[in-house]
């Protein structure tokens, strides 16, 4: 007997949803840091509609920011983190 598999279709999140997700992720993972507008826009673009990817990017930034004690996340910070 064959069982029926459930298929979930994941659709891309829009910019508004990604921005809300980013704000929550930053508040949780980087509570003492601020994110410049250009950095926020870059992260949302890099996520390409994928909330999991956005969370992974914020996690990477949080790890580096905690080591360097950074309080402001800039586009340069993002480029440095992603170059690793």
């Amino acid at each position: 007997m064959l069982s029926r598999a459930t298929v979930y279709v994941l659709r891309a999140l829009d910019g508004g949803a990604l921005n809300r997700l980013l704000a929550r992720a930053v508040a949780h993972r980087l509570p003492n840091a601020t994110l410049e507008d250009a950095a926020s826009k870059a992260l949302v673009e890099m996520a390409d509609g994928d909330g999991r990817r956005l969370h992974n990017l914020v996690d990477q930034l949080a790890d580096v920011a905690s080591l360097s004690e950074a309080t402001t996340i800039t586009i340069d910070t993002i480029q440095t983190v992603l170059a690793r």
Side-chain angles (χ1 to χ4, degrees), residues 1-78:
M1 170 183 265
L2 293 176
S3 63
R4 290 189 161 185
T6 303
V7 176
Y8 294 97
V9 177
L10 301 178
R11 291 184 172 77
L13 298 174
D14 65 19
L18 285 171
N19 281 313
R20 289 188 299 275
L21 185 61
L22 178 60
R24 288 194 311 257
V26 168
H28 177 72
R29 291 287 283 139
L30 297 160
N32 298 320
T34 57
L35 199 62
E36 289 186 347
D37 288 340
S40 294
K41 289 177 185 177
L43 287 170
V44 168
E45 287 177 15
M46 286 181 220
D48 195 31
D50 188 339
R52 297 165 301 168
R53 185 178 301 158
L54 184 62
H55 269 284
N56 287 335
L57 292 168
V58 172
D59 281 342
Q60 290 174 20
L61 286 172
D63 290 343
V64 170
S66 68
L67 293 175
S68 66
E69 298 179 6
T71 57
T72 302
I73 306 298
T74 65
I75 193 72
D76 292 334
T77 308
I78 293 169

